[in-house]
Amino acid sequence: SDIIAGRVALQDFKGFVACGGFSYGDVLGAGEGWAKSILFNSRARDEFEAFFQRDDTFALGVCNGCQMMSNLHDIIPGAELWPRFKRNVSEQFEARFVMVEIQQSPSLFFDGMAWSRMPITVAHGEGKVEFSSGQSENTAALVTVRFVNNHGKITEQYPYNPNGSLQGITGLTTPDGRFNVLMPHPERVWRTAQLSWAP
């Protein structure tokens, strides 16, 4: 709203995080509505498009912010193959710990973390990746995070995969690693005391 009203300009920022936790409303499709408020407002669209076109910027979208950024894929360089995030296969809100594995990718957020497995919190009703025809075959190098089961194997099986996403996909980046979307909530798991085990 600050950008739409002209109180803030993205030219003054190098990075942003589009937060989760029902940002832009406690309703289904909130992330898509958030994206439309940008795409259908000329000032906001111009601000975001210019931000994404710069070579000194970065961004992370988490949960609703993930949905928002995935719906901005047309104005984010390198995000053309990103999926949309749709209703969980379970048809319910899923809120709990799951295990993920960090993939080898160009993401600046996951640099040096490839093949790490860790617990993370999910809290979403719409986290299932949905690709357009032929997209999924070309996205492997952009995948940053996948759900894994208790044996550390990538899974589509519930409850290890809380939303039924293809190949356990739950995070993606762009080829230059600067723009990232992530469905789980890393900001909710940051204290060692929350973990059952730590090195």
Side-chain angles (χ1 to χ4, degrees):
S1 58
D2 286 338
I3 291 169
I4 289 170
R7 292 186 295 268
V8 172
L10 283 177
Q11 69 184 12
D12 299 329
F13 294 87
K14 298 270 187 188
F16 74 78
V17 176
C19 301
F22 292 110
S23 295
Y24 209 75
D26 188 358
V27 295
L28 294 175
E32 188 170 349
W34 193 0
K36 286 179 179 174
S37 71
I38 294 166
L39 294 172
F40 298 145
N41 178 282
S42 58
R43 181 196 305 253
R45 184 185 178 110
D46 289 349
E47 286 272 341
F48 277 88
E49 195 161 12
F51 178 89
F52 292 130
Q53 292 293 332
R54 286 168 41 199
D55 61 8
D56 64 342
T57 58
F58 64 93
L60 172 66
V62 175
C63 199
N64 277 31
C66 169
Q67 295 169 346
M68 179 273 273
M69 282 184 60
S70 73
N71 279 279
L72 296 180
H73 68 269
D74 286 341
I75 63 171
I76 301 175
E80 301 81 17
L81 297 175
W82 282 0
R84 294 188 187 273
F85 292 82
K86 298 297 185 178
R87 189 96 171 124
N88 296 343
V89 170
S90 66
E91 291 288 325
Q92 63 186 4
F93 182 78
E94 300 284 347
R96 56 192 155 77
F97 270 124
V98 296
M99 285 292 288
V100 295
E101 182 180 73
I102 308 303
Q103 306 296 289
Q104 185 72 53
S105 77
S107 171
L108 66 88
F109 289 99
F110 296 109
D111 186 40
M113 294 178 65
W115 317 125
S116 299
R117 292 186 189 137
M118 61 194 71
I120 194 166
T121 301
V122 292
H124 61 259
E126 298 174 313
K128 181 184 176 204
V129 297
E130 184 177 281
F131 290 98
S132 298
S133 179
Q135 267 185 323
S136 62
E137 296 83 31
N138 301 312
T139 54
L142 302 180
V143 175
T144 56
V145 183
R146 296 182 195 264
F147 294 117
V148 295
N149 64 19
N150 58 315
H151 298 289
K153 303 294 183 194
I154 293 167
T155 187
E156 296 176 16
Q157 183 182 355
Y158 185 88
Y160 308 108
N161 179 329
N163 52 46
S165 286
L166 177 73
Q167 300 167 7
I169 296 169
T170 191
L172 297 106
T173 190
T174 50
D176 62 9
R178 294 186 299 125
F179 305 118
N180 293 257
V181 291
L182 179 66
M183 187 50 61
H185 287 266
E187 78 283 4
R188 295 184 185 183
V189 186
W190 56 274
R191 297 185 64 222
T192 305
Q194 292 175 282
L195 308 177
S196 58
W197 178 86

